[in-house]
Structures are given as C-alpha cells and as structure tokens.
Amino acid sequence: MVRDLVLYAILILLLVLIFQRQLVRQAITGVFYGVAGILFLYFGISDKTLLTCVLELGMGLMFMTLFVHALTTAKYSYGQRLLDKDRDLLNLLRVQPGFTFRLEKSGDEFYYRLLEGELLERVGLNLQVNYNKREHVKRLGDILELSSETMEQLSQYYKQAWFGDRTVFELEFWEYSALITLHPVREDGNTRHVIGHVLDITEYKASEQKRKEMDEANRAKSIFLAHMSHEIRTPLNGIIGLSKLLNKTELTAVQRDYLHKLLASSRTLSSMLSNVLDFSKMEAGSLELEKVEFEPEKMLRHLADTVGTLLEDKEIEVVFITDPALPKSFKGDPLRMEQVLSNLLTNAIKFTDQGHVLLQVKMLSQQEGRVGVSFMVEDTGIGISDSCIDKLFVPFIQASTSTSRRYGGSGLGLAISKHLAEAMGGKVEVKSRLGEYSQFYFNVELETGELNAGSTRIEKQIKGKALIVAQHELVRYSLNELLQDLGLKTFTNSSFQESVDAFQKGEHFDYVIIDMGMEGLRELDSRRQWLQMLDRQITQIIGLTTVFQMETIAAGDMNHSVDAFLSKPVTRNALLEVLCWKKEQSVPADGNTLETHATMSSHNEIGDTTQKYQILIAEDNEINQVVITEFLAERNFEVTMVTNGRELIALLELRYWDMVLLDLHMPEMDGFETARHIRRNKAFNRLPIIAFTADAVQHEQEVCLRAGINAVLFKPVHELTAARVLTSWINLAWLQDLHGIHAEQSIAGMDGKVYIFQFALYKWIQEYQYLDKRVVRKMDNGQLSSALRLIHSLKGGTGNLCAPELLAKVIELEKALKRSNETSTGALYPDWKKHLSTVQKDINQIKSSLPWS
C-alpha cells in the first residue's frame, strides 16, 4: 500500500513537471529522475507479480534514461552558456572605443596578451597582432614604432602598476593619441596580472588644441579691446572734459548748441564702446554679475540723472512711476540692472519724437524673502512691425535698414539687455504696434535686502498742501502719486492759467511744483507776475525742468527765483530731497541742477577757502592734464603734474602731499609699479593713491589693493564719481565713517599701513558677506564643527579689525551654536539663528559704510 502511494506520487509529480510551462532547474529535474528510477527498479525487483514487476522495471529504466539525458543536457547547456558569455564578452570588447590587453610578468620582463577592441581595426593594428597570444612588450613597441626612451618610460609605468598603483598616462604613436589606464589585479596581497585599457583620444586632443587656440584668440581679442578701449577712451575723456570746461565760459546760443551736440555725441560714442566691450565679454563667457545689497530708489535716481541728459531738444516727457510697496532694498547687481533699463530707455527716447517715455516699476509678488518686480518701458514712438520683433534681440541687427540709417546705433543694446536679464534669472519681452507705441517688459525676481524700512523711511513726516502744475497727464499723475505717498494733500492744474486763477482766489499752498517749460510760463514777464502773486513766506516753489532748459530759464530771472529746480524725470528720492530742504538752505535758480548741487556739496566737503590740498598727478596725455587740473583747481587742490611714474617718484619726497593721482598706463613706469614703489617707503603709509584708467576691461580690485592703490576711476571720469572718491580719501575721511570699527587702532597694529588695513577689510568682507547662508547650510547638513570653525575664523578676523561690538556678538553666536549641540536636534536652543542674524546685520552695515562697496 505504501509502495503504491509512493509510485502514484511520483507519477503525479511527473505529470506536474510535464505540464508545467516553466520547468524547475535542470539539476533538480535530474535528481528527481534519478531518485524515481532507483525506486522503480528497487520496487520492480522485489515485486512478485510478473506484470507489475515488468512495468516497474520499465518505468525505472525510463527514469534512469531520463536522468542520464538530463545530466547530458545540463552539461551541454552549461557549456553553451559559457560559450555565449564568452561571445558576448568578446563582442563587448570588440565594440569598445579603445582596446584591452593584459600584462603578465616573468622575472623582470613584461609580456602582454591582446584581448580585443575597435581601436585595433581603426588604426590598422588588427593584422599585425596576435589575439590572446603571450608576447613580449617589445613586440608591441616594434609594431607601434615606439622609441627606446618611450619604451623605457612604459616599463616604468608597468612597474608602477605591478606594485599596485592604478596608473594613467598618454601615449603618442603614428598620428594617434591614446590614453592608457593600467588596473592591477591583486590576490592575497600579490599582483596576479595587470589589465590595461587603451582609449583613442586623437579627436579630443584635436578639439582641445582647437579650444586652446580659440582661448588664445579670445585672450588676444581681450587684450586688443583693452588697448582699443584705452586708445579711444583717453581722447574721449579729453573731449568730454574740455567740453565741460568750455561750457563754463561765455558762449553764444549757437556755440552752446554745438557744445551740447558735441557732449551728446561723445556720450553716444562712449555708450557704443561700452556695448561692444560688454558683448565681447558675453561671447567669451567672462561677463560676471555681482550680488550686493542696493536700494532701488537710489538706482532709479542715478538712472534718471543719466536719462535726463539724453533729452536735449526733444519735446517729449520722460516719466518714472514706481510702486510705493517696493521693499527698501534688494540683493542683486544694480549696475547691470541699471544697464538693462538704460538701454531700454535710451532706445525709447531715440525712437520717440513726440509724446512720452514711461518707466513703470511694479511689485508682482512677494514671498519667503523674494520679490517679483516688473520694469515696463513704454514709448509713443515709431513702433515695431510684427515681422521685425523677432530680429530685435539679434546682435548687430536693427529692425530695418532705414531705421539704422536714420537713428544709428550698433544693434547691440537689446541683445546685451536680453543676455543680462536672463543672467539675472529674468526675461525681456516686447509688445508693439507700428506707428503707435512700444512696450518693453523686464521682469526679474530679486532677494530682499536686510535694510529696515521702518528705521529709514521718513517720507510720512511731510505734511501740508501741494499744487502740481503740469500740462502732461502722466507728469501730473506721477507727481500726484509720489506726493500723496509722502503724506501731502495734493491738487493738480493742467495749465498755467488754472494756477493763476487759483492764486487769485486766495488759495495757499505749502509747495507748488510747476513745469517751467509749459506754455504761459516761458515768458519772463508772465513768470515774474506769477511769482509775485505767491506768499514766499509760506509757499516753496519747485520748478520742473530738464538739464538743457535749466540755464535758459534761470538766466533772466535772478531776482525772482524759484526755491529749487527738479530735473525730469522725477524720482522719489529726488523729490524727497527737495521737499526736505529748508528755505534758508534752498538752492538759487542760478542754473545749477540737482546734479551740480551734489557736486557743489562734494566741493564744500573737500575743503574750504583757507586750505589748499597738495596733489601730485602722473598723466601722460596733455589734454587730460588740462581737464584734470581745471577740475581739481575748482575743488581747492593745488596740482603738480608729471608725465610718468619715474618723474612722480623723483618729486615725491621733496614736499608733503595730500594725495597722489596716477594713470595706470604710462610710459617708462606704469601705475602699478609706481604704487608699489611708493608703498616701500613707510613715510607714505597714509598717503592716498588714486588711479585712473581708460581700460574698460575691468581691473580686479584685489590686484589694485595688493599694489597699494586705494581706488580706481574709469575714464571718462564722471564729476560726481570723482568728487565722491576725492572726498572719501582726502585726509582719509572714510575711516571716520566706518561702522563699528576702530580703524586707527587696527591700522596701528598693521605697522600704520592704511592700504594693508584696507586690503584686510576687503578680504574680510569677501569672506563673510554671506556668512548667514553658509552657517545655515552647514547646520542643516549636521556640520556643527565646520560651522564653529567658520565662526572661530570670523572671531579672529573681527578682533584684528578692532570691531569690539561685533566681536562680542560673534562670541555670543559661538556660544549659542555650541549650546545647540547639547540635544540631538538642538530644538531646545534655536537662538543661534537670532544671534547669526544680528552678526550678519552688523557685517552688512560695515560693508555699506565702505567707500568702495
């Protein structure tokens, strides 16, 4: 009975195996057949019934036959799989881009076995070598025609790999270049053999050589552009400087008109040169963006001053409208952002002969410390056809040839603007209708700055009534929005006669802002009668005008002047500055714009009439010598001029000097070498050295500081920029304005060398201006020790700079970070972020107080 059950079970399992779609592995099947055969033979021999005995013996023999067949099949399948694997491996080796070989060693000699590789056939080696045959390496050297020196070097590489080092080297043979990698295969601490791989890098070397040639060509182009910049900007600086000097003399109306056109042409040339240089940097990939904290209102104020000089004789209105909800400060590159807007505004003014040009700034979004900002530049000019819009951002191409002939230009401004906008993570878009308008949108997302708007915003303190008298609707709207945001109650008139009627009715205003170029006010008699109607003890009069209209308006009205002039386009900062002036501090209508008022302020800050500052200048260009001398003479400097560095060194010790001004590019001894020579003498440790250059390829500030140069002015030099730099460095005034640093104490610890202190401060700012982000990133990654090392380094640098208040805060931050490690998550001690924010705020304040930030 038991036997029958076992046999039946075997039959059932057999049926299961037969009808299975996926059989068990052959080894298990073979074992089953063998066991089943033995059992059937055993039961058959012992069975006494003849028929059952024969059947069982037959079944046993059948299973034993199947067992033998399964073993044979398994052996064949295993061998076939090995062959298939070898074939696959061979095919894989054959299609690899190089070839593979194996190194073996016998005594001190090396032998190779060549495996396979596509490179062999490509370079024609497959007919000269034997596959998988053990041959001496000299045989391969003969085939590749390698010199004895090369073979000796190869032997050294082989030995290095045999001792267990992975070795990589290049080999040149015929017209090919190969990269060879040797991988030692080690067992029980001994090298059994070395696997070598050869990769064809001929095309890569050729492309690398081509890239080097292109890099050399780019460097040569950059050097050429630097020289071209110097050669063009040097005389251009002289033209602009002499034109400004000429403008201060008595001229006829025709001469003054010619002079204004001369200045405008010079500025256009300077702008085109800057565009070409910027485009060259873009092509070379060397145009870099800064990330600094800046106030958008200050950027717009400077942009308005620049744009105001482009209006000349155009009867159009340029209006700025800004969103009052904009944050006080952003982090980004204000110079490049201003460049984009300047390009858009310049184009708008150039292509608009009537109507207006509008810059509107809106806040699109604000979340998690980031703000989406939209800048829209709209003009009522010639417009752009749909077919030409696609060409706008292509370099060197303008919308049409007729446009290029009529308006000029290089066709680079919009291409550069688009590149800069995209580099800042934004984009430039355009909408236009031919003959009606154009709208350019520059949208970008910026990080908000650290400035506390609540502590710096004073606009809401202004109270009273203001009357706006302007003909253009956008001008009235812009001023109305600004004045209401400042806290004033506003009224508007669209004509001069409306304002006359208002005053005849006995209405009084604290401020009257009137467009000096509007119809009715241009006549001198009308203007005098209108001014006499006002109670000058109550009302402050602000005249809206352009830079080019200012002198004409003021020349015949000295006895009945307005309190202040406000140049168009008007910005929030400019308007606030005018409104905050007290009447006893008001600027007379003598032709001075707000820009020249700032220059006058700078002049007054530099010195008084009782002291002449001694300045020694090295400049080899005669025209620039005249311009610089006149400019400095107006600002209380007594100038001594030489033509090169050697002459400057010879005069340096003959008398006391308040400042040295030198050109970086001079014959015999350039500015860098001259500065280094001066700094070798301890007597000049505190002598300010200001350099100027016409090379528009940006000089690294660190290179200048290492040479002992304190500041650099770029030609053509803007008067306001020059005045600001001179004011900062005469008598080292900037040291007194440093936030939280005992500068003199720190300088004393640096052997009295101011330039060393400046360099240390510059490096310190570079290292820690983004401290908060670095510390947070390290803490988020669990790198407490790394964060503490960073804070410890900051503590040492802060101590050397003698910033005691900041040092105390850094020490508290260090303690807070150490406390955060007392629990696994630091949840009980989260106050380190508060200390970190305080430290970062102090660092930012120090940075903002620097004259070069």
Side-chain angles (χ1 to χ4, degrees):
M1 186 66 178
V2 174
R3 183 187 67 179
D4 293 340
L5 290 174
V6 172
L7 294 177
Y8 292 147
I10 292 173
L11 288 174
I12 292 171
L13 288 173
L14 178 62
L15 292 173
V16 171
L17 288 173
I18 291 173
F19 288 104
Q20 268 188 337
R21 299 182 68 179
Q22 292 184 349
L23 298 179
V24 295
R25 287 182 295 180
Q26 290 180 345
I28 298 176
T29 304
V31 171
F32 171 77
Y33 288 155
V35 172
I38 292 172
L39 289 175
F40 272 107
L41 288 175
Y42 173 76
F43 290 136
I45 293 171
S46 61
D47 199 313
K48 296 180 180 180
T49 304
L50 180 61
L51 180 59
T52 305
C53 177
V54 171
L55 289 173
E56 290 176 347
L57 289 174
M59 292 291 289
L61 291 173
M62 183 187 71
F63 275 113
M64 292 304 295
T65 303
L66 290 172
F67 172 71
V68 173
H69 181 266
L71 289 179
T72 306
T73 303
K75 183 178 180 181
Y76 173 78
S77 298
Y78 179 72
Q80 187 64 37
R81 282 197 298 270
L82 288 179
L83 289 175
D84 291 343
K85 184 180 289 187
D86 289 344
R87 189 181 301 109
D88 291 341
L89 180 60
L90 192 63
N91 289 335
L92 182 63
L93 291 173
R94 186 173 291 121
V95 298
Q96 66 173 314
F99 67 85
T100 305
F101 62 94
R102 186 172 75 177
L103 277 178
E104 300 172 354
K105 189 178 181 184
S106 177
D108 293 332
E109 299 294 325
F110 287 97
Y111 297 84
Y112 75 92
R113 292 178 185 272
L114 195 62
L115 301 180
E116 187 55 275
E118 184 265 344
L119 177 62
L120 295 173
E121 183 176 356
R122 184 146 42 91
V123 301
L125 286 175
N126 58 331
L127 300 178
Q128 304 180 50
V129 297
N130 296 314
Y131 289 96
N132 209 20
K133 181 179 179 182
R134 190 172 184 268
E135 296 198 48
H136 199 279
V137 292
K138 290 182 179 179
R139 157 75 175 159
L140 190 61
D142 294 338
I143 294 174
L144 298 179
E145 300 176 2
L146 303 178
S147 65
S148 57
E149 292 81 3
T150 303
M151 289 301 300
E152 180 63 28
Q153 185 64 47
L154 287 177
S155 178
Q156 296 299 321
Y157 290 139
Y158 297 154
K159 291 177 182 178
Q160 183 178 340
W162 197 264
F163 284 110
D165 294 333
R166 180 178 179 273
T167 307
V168 181
F169 59 92
E170 290 185 18
L171 180 66
E172 303 283 342
F173 64 94
W174 303 343
E175 70 273 17
Y176 296 95
S177 298
L179 182 69
I180 302 176
T181 307
L182 303 177
H183 300 270
V185 178
R186 298 174 66 84
E187 295 179 5
D188 300 327
N190 297 318
T191 302
R192 309 299 299 177
H193 55 267
V194 173
I195 297 297
H197 180 73
V198 181
L199 179 65
D200 182 14
I201 59 171
T202 307
E203 293 182 1
Y204 169 78
K205 294 281 283 187
S207 64
E208 183 72 9
Q209 180 62 30
K210 186 176 181 180
R211 187 186 66 80
K212 288 181 179 178
E213 291 175 358
M214 291 177 63
D215 288 344
E216 290 177 0
N218 282 333
R219 281 194 293 271
K221 182 175 70 173
S222 296
I223 293 173
F224 167 75
L225 287 173
H227 288 307
M228 183 191 74
S229 167
H230 186 271
E231 294 303 317
I232 295 178
R233 285 177 182 268
T234 295
L236 184 60
N237 183 65
I239 293 171
I240 294 175
L242 287 175
S243 299
K244 289 181 177 179
L245 292 178
L246 185 59
N247 192 40
K248 296 175 183 178
T249 64
E250 291 187 8
L251 299 172
T252 66
V254 174
Q255 290 171 333
R256 195 169 298 281
D257 179 61
Y258 290 164
L259 188 58
H260 287 163
K261 288 180 169 59
L262 176 63
L263 279 169
S265 299
S266 301
R267 293 190 187 99
T268 301
L269 178 59
S270 178
S271 176
M272 290 181 63
L273 180 61
S274 297
N275 281 340
V276 171
L277 292 169
D278 279 343
F279 184 77
S280 174
K281 291 179 184 178
M282 283 167 43
E283 281 192 320
S286 60
L287 192 65
E288 298 180 353
L289 298 179
E290 289 186 318
K291 188 177 181 181
V292 298
E293 188 164 353
F294 69 97
E295 297 181 46
E297 287 295 341
K298 289 185 178 179
M299 180 195 73
L300 292 173
R301 171 75 177 275
H302 186 266
L303 182 64
D305 290 341
T306 303
V307 170
T309 62
L310 303 176
L311 296 176
E312 207 165 348
D313 57 349
K314 287 208 170 189
E315 296 291 335
I316 62 174
E317 293 289 349
V318 180
V319 182
F320 284 14
I321 299 177
T322 58
D323 191 336
L326 282 176
K328 186 71 174 179
S329 66
F330 292 117
K331 290 182 180 178
D333 192 330
L335 294 179
R336 293 304 183 183
M337 191 173 298
E338 184 180 331
Q339 184 177 357
V340 173
L341 297 175
S342 179
N343 282 338
L344 297 180
L345 286 166
T346 301
N347 273 0
I349 293 171
K350 181 167 64 172
F351 296 116
T352 303
D353 293 324
Q354 58 183 358
H356 69 266
V357 171
L358 168 66
L359 170 62
Q360 189 169 25
V361 186
K362 290 183 178 180
M363 187 171 70
L364 300 178
S365 62
Q366 184 175 17
Q367 56 181 356
E368 297 179 356
R370 298 189 68 82
V371 177
V373 183
S374 172
F375 300 89
M376 189 269 287
V377 176
E378 176 187 84
D379 67 72
T380 55
I382 61 176
I384 309 164
S385 65
D386 293 338
S387 60
C388 292
I389 284 182
D390 294 336
K391 302 177 184 178
L392 286 178
F393 301 103
V394 180
F396 302 106
I397 294 179
Q398 291 192 332
S400 66
T401 54
S402 61
T403 300
S404 179
R405 284 195 301 268
R406 179 180 175 186
Y407 295 99
S410 60
L412 286 175
L414 289 178
I416 293 171
S417 297
K418 183 174 185 293
H419 176 86
L420 290 175
E422 291 174 350
M424 288 184 277
K427 58 182 179 180
V428 175
E429 297 176 331
V430 59
K431 295 179 182 178
S432 184
R433 182 172 295 175
L434 188 63
E436 294 186 18
Y437 71 91
S438 295
Q439 292 176 340
F440 285 83
Y441 296 88
F442 167 36
N443 298 331
V444 67
E445 190 175 85
L446 297 169
E447 185 178 342
T448 55
E450 302 294 335
L451 288 180
N452 185 350
S455 63
T456 57
R457 193 177 180 89
I458 61 172
E459 293 91 328
K460 295 299 182 183
Q461 298 176 5
I462 302 176
K463 299 296 180 183
K465 293 166 57 178
L467 175 65
I468 303 167
V469 186
Q471 188 172 350
H472 199 281
E473 181 181 2
L474 275 178
V475 175
R476 295 197 305 273
Y477 175 81
S478 172
L479 290 171
N480 190 62
E481 291 293 308
L482 287 174
L483 291 170
Q484 287 185 1
D485 185 57
L486 298 179
L488 289 163
K489 185 177 182 181
T490 59
F491 302 85
T492 60
N493 288 160
S494 59
S495 69
F496 174 66
Q497 187 58 45
E498 286 184 25
S499 68
V500 171
D501 295 340
F503 286 114
Q504 286 178 343
K505 292 177 182 179
E507 296 191 28
H508 297 284
F509 300 93
D510 297 284
Y511 302 96
V512 174
I513 303 177
I514 185 166
D515 191 339
M516 302 299 290
M518 70 187 309
E519 187 177 351
L521 192 65
R522 296 179 184 179
E523 293 78 13
L524 181 58
D525 291 337
S526 298
R527 186 160 65 250
R528 286 177 176 173
Q529 292 174 8
W530 180 80
L531 288 169
Q532 289 172 357
M533 296 171 59
L534 305 181
D535 186 349
R536 303 304 301 277
Q537 299 299 318
I538 299 175
T539 305
Q540 183 176 350
I541 304 172
I542 301 168
L544 288 179
T545 183
T546 66
V547 174
F548 298 97
Q549 296 170 345
M550 185 84 65
E551 294 181 1
T552 304
I553 293 173
D557 199 24
M558 293 299 294
N559 295 326
H560 301 280
S561 63
V562 298
D563 292 290
F565 280 133
L566 190 58
S567 294
K568 294 186 288 187
V570 178
T571 62
R572 186 185 307 274
N573 276 10
L575 180 60
L576 178 62
E577 180 180 312
V578 171
L579 295 179
C580 288
W581 280 341
K582 297 179 181 178
K583 291 192 175 182
E584 61 269 23
Q585 295 175 322
S586 60
V587 176
D590 57 357
N592 290 312
T593 64
L594 292 181
E595 178 179 350
T596 55
H597 169 70
T599 307
M600 290 165 56
S601 299
S602 299
H603 165 64
N604 292 333
E605 291 173 7
I606 289 175
D608 53 42
T609 57
T610 62
Q611 182 180 3
K612 286 282 187 179
Y613 292 104
Q614 304 297 320
I615 184 167
L616 179 59
I617 303 177
E619 166 62 66
D620 59 316
N621 185 278
E622 293 184 8
I623 296 177
N624 285 335
Q625 288 177 359
V626 174
V627 173
I628 294 170
T629 300
E630 291 296 322
F631 172 78
L632 291 172
E634 291 180 355
R635 285 154 181 81
N636 235 24
F637 281 96
E638 185 173 313
V639 178
T640 301
M641 186 72 65
V642 296
T643 58
N644 59 58
R646 294 193 184 281
E647 294 180 7
L648 185 145
I649 296 299
L651 291 178
L652 198 60
E653 297 187 20
L654 298 182
R655 58 185 295 186
Y656 173 82
W657 304 99
D658 291 290
M659 184 177 290
V660 165
L661 194 64
L662 49 83
D663 193 350
L664 286 180
H665 301 281
M666 297 182 294
E668 298 191 40
M669 181 184 286
D670 66 12
F672 291 104
E673 187 179 353
T674 304
R676 283 190 287 266
H677 191 283
I678 294 172
R679 294 308 185 197
R680 294 191 190 107
N681 191 335
K682 289 186 177 181
F684 305 120
N685 282 347
R686 300 179 67 87
L687 176 65
I689 301 178
I690 311 298
F692 51 88
T693 177
D695 185 355
V697 178
Q698 186 177 6
H699 287 278
E700 290 292 338
Q701 187 173 5
E702 186 171 330
V703 175
C704 294
L705 290 175
R706 286 185 181 278
I709 296 171
N710 301 113
V712 179
L713 294 171
F714 291 95
K715 301 176 184 177
V717 179
H718 194 283
E719 288 188 5
L720 286 178
T721 304
R724 177 179 55 81
V725 172
L726 293 174
T727 303
S728 296
W729 284 99
I730 197 70
N731 294 329
L732 303 177
W734 71 277
L735 295 178
Q736 310 301 320
D737 298 329
L738 275 181
H739 173 84
I741 291 180
H742 296 168
E744 293 298 345
Q745 184 179 345
S746 179
I747 293 170
M750 299 177 184
D751 197 24
K753 297 179 178 178
V754 175
Y755 66 97
I756 296 296
F757 168 75
Q758 183 187 3
F759 180 74
L761 189 55
Y762 168 82
K763 296 294 289 183
W764 185 83
I765 290 293
Q766 293 292 106
E767 178 68 19
Y768 301 113
Q769 59 182 332
Y770 304 118
L771 174 76
D772 52 351
K773 292 181 176 58
R774 295 173 63 189
V775 172
V776 169
R777 186 164 55 248
K778 291 179 184 297
M779 294 297 287
D780 288 345
N781 294 332
Q783 300 173 327
L784 175 63
S785 58
S786 179
L788 286 172
R789 282 197 300 272
L790 179 59
I791 298 303
H792 183 74
S793 174
L794 169 64
K795 186 169 65 174
T798 304
N800 291 335
L801 292 176
C802 298
E805 294 181 5
L806 176 58
L807 181 60
K809 294 176 182 178
V810 173
I811 293 173
E812 289 301 318
L813 171 60
E814 186 178 40
K815 291 178 181 178
L817 283 173
K818 290 178 179 178
R819 286 198 303 269
S820 71
N821 196 37
E822 294 181 13
T823 63
S824 58
T825 62
L828 296 178
Y829 301 101
D831 61 332
W832 64 268
K833 289 188 176 181
K834 179 181 69 176
H835 289 289
L836 177 61
S837 177
T838 303
V839 169
Q840 187 65 57
K841 183 178 179 181
D842 272 25
I843 293 174
N844 292 343
Q845 288 177 337
I846 291 174
K847 180 182 177 183
S848 63
S849 67
L850 299 176
W852 61 84
S853 63

